[in-house]
Amino acid sequence: MKVLVAVKRVVDYNVKVRVKADNSGVDLANVKMSMNPFCEIAVEEAVRLKEKGVATEIVVVSIGPTTAQEQLRTALALGADRAILVESAEDLTSLAVAKLLKAVVDKEQPQMVILGKQAIDSDNNQTGQMLAALTGYGQGTFASKVEVSGDTVAVTREIDGGAQTVSLKLPAIVTTDLRLNEPRYASLPNIMKAKKKPLESLTPEALGVSTASTNKTVKVEAPAARSAGIKVKSVAELVEKLKNEAKVI
Amino acid sequence: MAILVIAEHDNKALAPATLNTVAAAAKIGGDIHVLVAGQGAGPVAEAAAKIAGVSKVLNADNAAYAHQLPENVAPLVAELGAGYSHILAAATSNGKNILPRVAAQLDVDQISEIISVESADTFKRPIYAGNAIATVQSNASVKVITVRATGFDPVAAEGGSATVEAVAAAHDAGTSSFVGEELAKSDRPELTAAKIVVSGGRGMQNGDNFKHLYALADKLGAAVGASRAAVDAGFVPNDMQVGQTGKIVAPQLYIAVGISGAIQHLAGMKDSKVIVAINKDEEAPIFQVADYGLVADLFEAVPELEKLV
C-alpha cells in the first residue's frame, strides 16, 4: 500500500526561542531549523512498514517555504521514495494545512497518512484530526503502536489514564506519539542518494485550495518570568522554608 | 449567545477538567450548555446539571458514543454546535482528539489550549513549548476552543440546577471500533489535579528507586510525575510524564528530583506556584526556575525530606 507522510520544518527543539521586540512573533532569523521531532517518528514508522513489506511506496509531503526542501531531502534519505512540496511563504493555520493535505490525498490516494501528533512551534495538535474530518477517514491519534492486518489497522493510542486500542478501516489517518519508535539517522550514502530522488513542487493555487483563516495572531509576548529563587543548604532548611515561608506543606 | 461545553467523562463520573472548562466558558459569558455524549452516562448528566452556572445539559446516549470515538462524536458535536457561538472542551487527550475534527467539519480554525480569556473572541495560548504567549483573535461564526485546565480555577461542582434534555441524534460512521484499553492503576491523586506533585527524572537511575518518591508523595498526599527521560528509560509508565508532550500541571508545590529541567519538561510545570529542585548538579537548568533549590544527592535528601515533613 501507499503511505503518505506529512513533515514540517520547525525551529530545532534545542533552540531557546526569543520573542521579537515588536511582539509580532518569534525571532526565527538565523535560527537552526529541523524536521519536527514527531514528524521524524512518522517517517520512521512509514519506513518500518515498508521494511515489513506492508507499505510499497512512501510519499513524503511538506507545506511551507522553499527551504522546507531540506526536511523533505532528510525524509528521502531516511527511506521515503519521493517528495512533494506545497510551497507557501505564509504562516498557515492547521485547517489550511489540512485542506492542502486533503488535496494531496485526493491526488495520491494513499491507504494511510501518517503525521506527527503536534508541531513543537505552534503546539496546536490539530492537523491530523482535521485531515481525518475532511477525508472522512478514521483517525488513530497519539499512536504508540500501529499494526496493519488486511484492510484494517489496529492503533494503540496514548490516553490520559494509560493506553487504548482502536481498529480503523483503511484508508486511515495516524498521528504519532513519542513512544511509537526511535527514529534512525540518515547515513551519508543515503543522503547522497536522496539528492537524486524526485521532488515535485506545487502551490496552493494549483491545488485549488484557499488558505484564508478565521484566526489572527494579535501579538506574541514572552511569558512572565519567574522571580529568582534561593538555594538552601540542607533538607531541614528546605522543610522550614516550605512550611513557614511558602506555606505549601 | 450560548456556549457548548463538551463534558469529559468515562460514562460513570464527570472528570474534574470539565469544571475548569465551564470556568473558561463563564469568563466568555453567555448561557452555558454541557453535552454529555456516551452510553449509559445518566449519572454524568446528573452531575453536569449540578455544576454552578450551567443552564442546560444535553445527554446523547448511544452505543456509538460509548468510547468517545471521534469519528462518531465529532459529527454529533458539529451538528449540535453549529447553533452556538463557542464550543469548548478540556485539552485532555479526549478533547484534543475530538475537537479539531469538529472544527474542520464546521470549516473554522481551532484555538488550542487557551490559558486566558481576553474577550469573547480573543484568547491567550502558549506556543513554542510555553516560551512565548500568543494572543489570538477569531472571527469564526463558531469559535472552537480547547481549554488548558490549569489556566482556570474550577467552578463549583454543586449549586446548579440545569435541565437535562435527551438528544436523539445518532452518528455511527462505521470507520472505527474500540478494541480495548489498559489503564494504569494508582491510589494517589490524579497528576493534573494534585495540589502537590513529586517528579523524578533520569537521576532516579531505575524504576525501583521511585519507591523513595512514592514514600514522600504518600506523606504529602502528592501525585508522582516523571520527566520524559525517566519514562523513556522505562522507569515508570508514560502517563506519568510531565511536559510539552505529556501532562501539563500547575500544583501549589512541584518537587523536581533528579530532573535537569529541559525546555520540554519546563513547559509542563513552570506555572506551578512553588518549585523545589533537588539535584546534585548545581548547573542544572531546573535551578533557574526553582524557588528553592537544594544541591544534594537525591538518595540522601529524599529520605531525609520524607522524615522531616
Side-chain angles (χ1 to χ4, degrees), chain B residues 148-193:
Chain B
R148 181 173 284 191
T150 58
F152 299 87
D153 292 328
V155 295
E158 301 283 338
S161 54
T163 52
V164 179
E165 199 174 284
V167 176
H171 295 270
D172 192 346
T175 49
S176 61
S177 57
F178 173 83
V179 178
E181 64 188 4
E182 229 177 283
L183 300 178
K185 290 184 188 74
S186 173
D187 302 329
R188 294 185 188 84
E190 216 240 318
L191 195 51
T192 51

Side-chain angles (χ1 to χ4, degrees), chain B residues 70-277:
Chain B
E71 296 81 2
N72 302 342
V73 175
L76 169 74
V77 178
E79 182 189 312
L80 296 171
Y84 288 84
S85 64
H86 297 73
I87 304 175
L88 267 58
T92 53
S93 62
N94 207 21
K96 290 174 182 175
N97 194 25
I98 292 170
L99 224 55
R101 194 162 178 127
V102 173
Q105 287 196 327
L106 294 170
D107 195 24
V108 296
D109 282 301
Q110 181 187 306
I111 305 179
S112 292
E113 303 221 21
I114 61 162
I115 52 168
S116 83
V117 173
E118 302 296 296
S119 70
D121 67 356
T122 310
F123 308 90
K124 284 195 176 179
R125 61 176 301 261
I127 52 175
Y128 290 90
N131 286 303
I133 307 295
T135 305
V136 184
Q137 193 172 29
S138 166
N139 63 16
S141 53
V142 185
K143 293 164 184 61
V144 179
I145 296 164
T146 61
V147 176
R148 181 173 284 191
T150 58
F152 299 87
D153 292 328
V155 295
E158 301 283 338
S161 54
T163 52
V164 179
E165 199 174 284
V167 176
H171 295 270
D172 192 346
T175 49
S176 61
S177 57
F178 173 83
V179 178
E181 64 188 4
E182 229 177 283
L183 300 178
K185 290 184 188 74
S186 173
D187 302 329
R188 294 185 188 84
E190 216 240 318
L191 195 51
T192 51
K195 291 214 159 42
I196 302 178
V197 173
V198 180
S199 277
R202 200 193 300 275
M204 297 307 296
Q205 292 177 7
N206 59 49
D208 209 30
N209 285 335
F210 264 75
K211 65 176 189 257
H212 299 299
L213 299 189
Y214 294 132
L216 175 61
D218 289 342
K219 200 104 178 253
L220 291 167
V224 178
S227 71
R228 187 186 160 194
V231 172
D232 281 354
F235 299 173
V236 290
N238 59 41
D239 54 295
M240 283 170 62
Q241 184 183 323
V242 173
Q244 185 186 17
T245 55
K247 292 189 178 153
I248 314 286
V249 300
Q252 293 287 308
L253 172 62
Y254 188 90
I255 305 179
V257 182
I259 293 177
S260 64
I263 294 174
Q264 197 278 339
H265 186 75
L266 299 183
M269 46 63 82
K270 67 180 178 165
D271 292 327
S272 306
K273 188 162 168 274
V274 174
I275 298 173
V276 169

